[in-house]
Amino acid sequence: MTATPSTAALELHAGALRLALRPDLGGAIAGFWHDTTPILRSCEPGELTSSRPSGCFPMAPYSNRIGYRHFRWHGRDHTTAPNFEEGNPHSLHGTVWKAAWRAVSASA
């Protein structure tokens, strides 16, 4: 695993496989390749500008959509903060994809 300070990218290699991660963009996968063939939607990690166009990003603590940012749990009403484009009334894909992650350690 190597770390690139300019983009905070991490890369994992196993044989012909290469996985490029962007912890600073919500733990997004910038790209996943077998040799030079992309397996997911892939770009070099320095080219990725947000998690949404990435090959994959974590959706936690929930995935999908909370309609109108409101739900009821154990008899209590809860409202989530807006987290998508302006004017969208729903909360989508959790919150962790919107925040920078920090790699605790990286080594070969």
Side-chain angles (χ1 to χ4, degrees):
M1 191 179 333
T2 58
T4 308
S6 62
T7 61
L10 297 172
E11 287 197 9
L12 302 173
H13 298 265
L17 297 174
R18 177 171 70 108
L19 178 73
L21 303 168
R22 286 289 302 272
D24 62 319
L25 295 178
I29 295 175
F32 182 44
W33 299 267
H34 180 269
D35 288 324
T36 58
T37 303
I39 306 300
L40 300 174
R41 178 189 318 182
S42 299
C43 69
E44 290 302 322
E47 297 170 5
L48 192 62
T49 57
S50 75
S51 56
R52 286 194 57 209
S54 69
C56 181
F57 58 86
M59 296 180 207
Y62 57 90
S63 66
N64 211 329
R65 172 181 76 116
I66 295 178
Y68 301 98
R69 302 187 335 260
H70 175 83
F71 65 97
R72 186 169 194 79
W73 177 254
H74 287 269
R76 292 184 51 203
D77 290 327
H78 300 273
T79 303
T80 62
N83 71 342
F84 221 60
E85 61 252 347
E86 190 173 324
N88 189 318
H90 311 295
S91 180
L92 290 107
H93 307 325
T95 56
V96 300
W97 63 280
K98 302 281 286 187
W101 295 21
R102 183 176 58 87
V104 175
S105 67
S107 67

